Amino acid sequence: MELLVAVWAVRLAALAALAVGAISVSVGAPPLEAVLRAAAAAFAFTLGGRVLLARLETPEQRLRRLLTRRAQKDGGS
């Protein structure tokens, strides 16, 4: 499930970046401004995907992830 959400988030981010860039250029924005707007749109969609993944994570998965991270930190030192 996580992989599916991550893949669609990346797809939507790429599509949003292309759409925002194309619309910005079509209304006469300078190329640099169009690129910056496209990057902002891609960032927003990627961030949205990360938030969705965090909300879909079950408490057991979160606990396992935190314990694994703590074990790695304690074992590595």
Side-chain angles (χ1 to χ4, degrees):
M1 182 67 166
E2 292 87 7
L3 183 60
L4 181 67
V5 171
V7 166
W8 276 102
V10 170
R11 288 178 182 172
L12 289 175
L15 184 63
L18 288 173
V20 168
I23 291 170
S24 295
V25 168
S26 71
V27 297
L32 180 61
E33 187 176 334
V35 169
L36 291 176
R37 288 181 182 180
F43 176 76
F45 273 84
T46 304
L47 184 64
R50 293 215 22 120
V51 168
L52 183 60
L53 279 175
R55 289 188 183 257
L56 290 175
E57 187 176 39
T58 64
E60 292 83 17
Q61 289 173 329
R62 173 178 263 163
L63 182 62
R64 189 176 336 124
R65 180 176 49 84
L66 292 175
L67 289 174
T68 302
R69 186 179 296 163
R70 180 178 288 172
Q72 288 174 349
K73 189 168 75 171
D74 291 342
S77 296

